[in-house]
Amino acid sequence: MKALQQNAYGAPADVTALVDLPEPVAKAGEILVEVEAAAMHLADLKFINGDAGFRYFTFPRICGHEGIGYVIKLGDGVTDYKVGDRVFLPIGSGTFRQRLAVPAADCPPATAGDAKQLALTVINGMTAVILVDDYAAALKPGDWILQNGANSSCGRYIIKLAHDKGLRTCNIVRRASLIPELKALDADQVIVETGDPDKTAELVKAATGGVELSIGFDCVASTGTETIGRCLVRDGTIVNYGYMTGKNCEVSFQDLFRKHVKLVGMSMQSPRTKDQRKVVYAKLAAMIAKGDLKAKIAATYTLDQIQVALAHQAKTGDDRQGKIIILPNG
Amino acid sequence: MRALQQIGYGNPADVVALVTLPDPTPQAGEIVIRMEAAAIHLADIKNFTGERDFRVKALPRIPGYEGIGRVTQVGAGVTQFKVGDRVFPWWGAGTFAELVCTPANKVMPAPEGDAVQLSLMLVNGMTSVILLEDFAELQPGDWLVQNGANSNCARYIIVLARERGVRTCNIVRRPEVVDDLKALGADAVILDSDDPFELAERVRAATHGATLKLGLDMVAGAASGRMARCVSDGGIVVNYGFMSGQPSQIPFHDMFQKEITFVGMSAGRGMAKRNMNELRAIYTKLAAMIAKGDMRTAIAGTYPLDRAADAFRHAASTGAERDGKVILLPNA
């Protein structure tokens, strides 16, 4: 069985290798899953590179944080699933491989539908739900959410999930070519980043009619964070959940001191039980299967092409144009 | 009387002039205070240079946030003070002058004691109390971690935390200040490191792995991120200054993996949460502690009004060039 194994921290081509591992066996309570599609994330690269704050593995390890597959064998005592059922794999289970054995209890059930799209449910989907439902819980219909990196898969989910709740979104992107696309997804406003927090804030103000913006989602970091802070009202909250720039979040003293803007780190450890999470996954999966939540897919790769996939993942903007999906079984 | 007057924005030497104004006459409810000492804060310098959001509303004006002096005249109807009483004017009275004329109702009685030390109570003292009380529930035995630990605020925090049984882990840049901070009551004093992980390890070792709910950052720039690395998961970092002059920078991995909350602090906000009686009670206690010598600050220099340009230059410097606060002595 083929798998992408990481042996150290460093450049992907130097520290990862496609290896042939013994076929996994489902022990009691486990299911053997054939992986259909596994989403690649920026974090996968950070984990491979061993960036500061992303070094907590013992080696060797199998890469890949999420995915979808179907059950091909049941371990003793498994009653929740039968062979042929589709399941989401647990976060961080090492999904860049053909098959893996995992505890049945850790796998939420998945739906029928496009495996490439559904492969994004567990991380990007849940992130969007946590941001809209938990961090923006205080908003009333008609209120605005501000976000940057709005063309990311998470950003696109947020547009849709917010729209469904009657919330409006003001979306900051880097490329004007994205405006019609995001508007078609029900984005209320789409602004092109100017690179200057004050100027972008002026555009946001004009786009939202000067209403008070109490919350902004930041997946860009660097001056992207500062820009969100500049746009927010007194006591507003910036929720950071990514750092596309690879740089630190920046917040200016004026926004901290004069406006009491708060910067919080978003947590995947939302206060949801396993059963509540299953409900969320089921709702997301249904929306994704129906096409209501749709990510742009930049490319799909097999495990044999995984180094090309990792190099593609390292690119941004026009050079990537969406998510990279690994199809471990072709 | 002589007073400093700010007439524009720019280099303090260019925009702040020593002027002679008519001596003030107190109206009903006012008193005149002869200033003994007036502290210079970094915010004063920012007001002069006119940095963004530090522009004052109207010029010309007499600068000076705080100080201490003695009553020389009382207006009609003033019963709470008499000539000769030692007092603290309220925030922003324009204390860089020989005489300050101000409504008596907010002026607070001041104890005897070192005027230079007492002249620092109003701004830094209140800031320290708010930082200790408003952002985390600290129990006796808990630790907090702070950078810029040789600053006046941080030194007050060391003393006020100790009084509450809260232990302080203090980050400094210069080894020379370690002994002084320990003598003041600091539980741990460690040297800063540019490497957040190295610094966090030093903090962890110094605090014996204790949970750190509260980190106080008055440096900003990369130091904000280093502080985020030092506090425990779910902790809060409160920024209350920007000695580095840089925007606060916090790495994503601290925000995300550690669920850090990063907030700004202003004394005005904290004071608005407290009524006047509560504020006065805080100041009465602070004044007594300072007068007794329990809270003391390093003084880098004292200057008369006619050397204000030197004083401001000194106040704008950092590190070994300014080992402590710079104080104006308006009647020296």
Side-chain angles (χ1 to χ4, degrees):
Chain A
M1 177 201 70
K2 283 186 280 191
L4 182 70
Q5 185 171 287
Q6 179 182 355
N7 300 305
Y9 294 115
D14 297 336
V15 300
T16 65
L18 199 57
V19 293
D20 198 11
L21 298 179
E23 282 298 331
V25 177
K27 298 196 281 279
E30 291 187 338
I31 50 178
L32 184 64
V33 180
E34 174 121 333
V35 183
E36 292 179 85
M40 189 177 277
H41 296 288
L42 191 55
D44 288 305
L45 286 183
K46 305 287 174 195
F47 290 131
I48 292 172
N49 286 325
D51 287 3
F54 288 84
R55 305 171 77 103
Y56 41 67
F57 296 111
T58 50
F59 298 118
R61 66 175 278 260
I62 306 300
C63 303
H65 263 66
E66 69 171 326
I68 186 170
Y70 51 89
V71 179
I72 54 172
K73 207 172 266 180
L74 302 178
D76 286 346
V78 174
T79 53
D80 298 347
Y81 290 111
K82 57 183 190 310
V83 170
D85 282 350
R86 211 175 204 193
V87 294
F88 292 117
L89 293 163
I91 291 180
S93 54
T95 56
F96 295 167
R97 73 174 113 195
Q98 290 181 294
R99 284 167 290 283
L100 76 166
V102 279
D106 293 347
C107 296
T111 52
D114 183 351
K116 298 188 295 297
Q117 291 285 338
L118 286 164
L120 292 157
T121 306
V122 172
I123 293 180
N124 287 166
M126 185 54 103
T127 300
V129 166
I130 291 170
L131 287 168
V132 173
D133 285 357
D134 298 356
Y135 286 90
L139 297 188
K140 309 266 184 305
D143 287 348
W144 290 83
I145 289 173
L146 176 66
Q147 67 164 341
N148 60 25
N151 185 47
S152 69
S153 131
C154 219
R156 288 168 162 248
Y157 288 173
I158 287 166
I159 291 171
K160 184 67 185 169
L161 292 170
H163 183 78
D164 282 358
K165 293 182 80 173
L167 303 174
R168 290 184 283 188
T169 56
C170 182
N171 301 279
I172 303 173
V173 295
R174 284 177 301 175
R175 291 170 287 153
S177 56
L178 296 167
I179 295 174
E181 257 181 75
L182 295 189
K183 288 223 163 146
L185 280 180
D186 293 329
D188 294 279
Q189 291 290 346
V190 186
I191 302 296
V192 179
E193 171 68 66
T194 65
D196 175 333
D198 291 320
K199 286 184 184 144
T200 307
E202 280 303 310
L203 295 179
V204 167
K205 192 177 172 187
T208 55
V211 297
E212 293 189 339
L213 300 169
S214 63
I215 191 156
F217 300 149
D218 166 42
C219 66
V220 174
S222 186
T223 54
T225 318
E226 183 184 349
T227 301
I228 298 279
R230 193 65 40 80
C231 296
L232 297 183
V233 70
R234 275 177 79 84
D235 292 310
T237 302
I238 312 166
V239 186
N240 169 262
Y241 72 100
Y243 70 134
M244 282 186 199
T245 52
K247 295 186 178 151
N248 295 334
C249 300
E250 287 192 9
V251 196
S252 74
F253 188 70
Q254 59 188 357
D255 294 322
L256 286 168
F257 185 72
R258 299 284 185 208
K259 286 205 317 199
H260 307 101
V261 160
K262 182 194 287 185
L263 172 65
V264 299
M266 182 262 185
S267 167
M268 289 294 280
Q269 318 297 319
S270 75
R272 286 183 176 78
T273 62
K274 209 175 221 182
D275 284 343
Q276 287 170 328
R277 282 177 172 259
K278 278 188 180 170
V279 172
V280 174
Y281 291 136
K283 180 190 158 189
L284 285 166
M287 291 180 77
I288 293 170
K290 220 177 127 201
D292 287 344
L293 293 177
K294 200 165 188 315
K296 268 208 290 197
I297 307 295
T300 59
Y301 295 95
T302 62
L303 279 177
D304 293 326
Q305 303 164 312
I306 191 100
Q307 293 302 336
V308 182
L310 289 164
H312 194 174
Q313 178 63 51
K315 296 174 175 170
T316 65
D318 280 326
D319 297 326
R320 177 147 59 85
Q321 294 272 26
K323 298 299 287 193
I324 309 287
I325 307 290
I326 305 302
L327 305 175
N329 290 287
Chain B
M1 70 153 181
R2 294 183 312 155
L4 299 183
Q5 193 174 56
Q6 180 182 356
I7 51 174
Y9 296 107
N11 186 335
D14 301 331
V15 300
V16 182
L18 182 62
V19 296
T20 301
L21 301 173
D23 281 0
T25 306
Q27 305 298 303
E30 291 184 339
I31 58 173
V32 173
I33 305 164
R34 184 173 189 271
M35 295 308 298
E36 295 175 81
I40 301 173
H41 294 288
L42 195 54
D44 288 303
I45 309 297
K46 305 274 174 204
N47 290 149
F48 298 151
T49 53
E51 284 184 33
R52 181 175 182 138
D53 276 317
F54 282 92
R55 296 216 161 201
V56 291
K57 289 194 177 72
L59 296 178
R61 66 165 195 129
I62 299 175
Y65 284 98
E66 67 172 316
I68 186 170
R70 287 191 192 274
V71 177
T72 55
Q73 287 185 76
V74 297
V78 173
T79 54
Q80 63 270 57
F81 296 110
K82 59 183 191 308
V83 171
D85 284 352
R86 202 179 209 193
V87 293
F88 298 109
W90 195 244
W91 287 62
T95 54
F96 297 166
E98 289 176 327
L99 301 174
V100 169
C101 181
T102 186
N105 58 3
K106 277 193 165 179
V107 169
M108 294 181 295
E112 294 306 315
D114 183 351
V116 167
Q117 290 287 337
L118 286 164
S119 77
L120 286 155
M121 174 194 73
L122 207 68
V123 175
N124 291 161
M126 185 56 73
T127 300
S128 304
V129 168
I130 291 167
L131 286 169
L132 272 174
E133 291 185 350
D134 289 11
F135 296 94
E137 296 269 338
L138 297 174
Q139 307 298 332
D142 284 352
W143 285 85
L144 66 82
V145 54
Q146 61 173 346
N147 61 26
N150 192 41
S151 75
N152 187 37
C153 247
R155 293 172 68 108
Y156 284 177
I157 286 165
I158 289 170
V159 177
L160 293 170
R162 189 172 191 85
E163 211 204 358
R164 290 155 201 246
V166 172
R167 290 180 279 191
T168 58
C169 178
N170 299 279
I171 302 169
V172 297
R173 286 175 299 173
R174 290 176 296 142
E176 310 88 271
V177 302
V178 172
D179 289 345
D180 197 26
L181 294 186
K182 287 212 166 151
L184 198 61
D187 296 280
V189 186
I190 57 169
L191 285 181
D192 205 351
S193 165
D194 288 339
D195 176 353
F197 294 87
E198 168 65 29
L199 179 64
E201 186 47 41
R202 288 177 195 174
V203 168
R204 203 193 59 76
T207 58
H208 316 293
T211 299
L212 294 166
K213 290 184 275 194
L214 179 65
L216 303 175
D217 165 39
M218 55 92 65
V219 178
S224 300
R226 294 201 294 275
M227 187 56 79
R229 177 67 9 196
C230 292
V231 300
S232 300
D233 289 8
I236 184 166
V237 177
V238 185
N239 170 268
Y240 69 100
F242 65 148
M243 252 191 341
S244 66
Q246 301 294 316
S248 293
Q249 299 187 1
I250 307 102
F252 168 73
H253 55 79
D254 287 313
M255 297 307 307
F256 187 74
Q257 293 167 358
K258 295 181 64 182
E259 272 185 80
I260 298 297
T261 298
F262 185 75
V263 296
M265 178 275 176
S266 74
R269 159 67 51 103
M271 289 170 73
K273 289 182 193 161
R274 294 165 169 82
N275 66 38
M276 204 53 180
N277 287 338
E278 290 167 331
L279 294 174
R280 282 172 174 268
I282 288 169
Y283 279 132
T284 301
K285 194 177 157 196
L286 286 169
M289 289 178 77
I290 296 170
K292 214 178 132 208
D294 289 343
M295 289 167 67
R296 60 175 199 284
T297 291
I299 304 299
T302 59
Y303 294 85
L305 283 184
D306 55 15
R307 290 190 59 210
D310 293 334
F312 295 141
R313 200 174 304 119
H314 197 174
S317 61
T318 64
E321 283 91 64
R322 178 170 67 79
D323 201 1
K325 299 293 282 193
V326 179
I327 311 289
L328 284 173
L329 304 175
N331 286 285

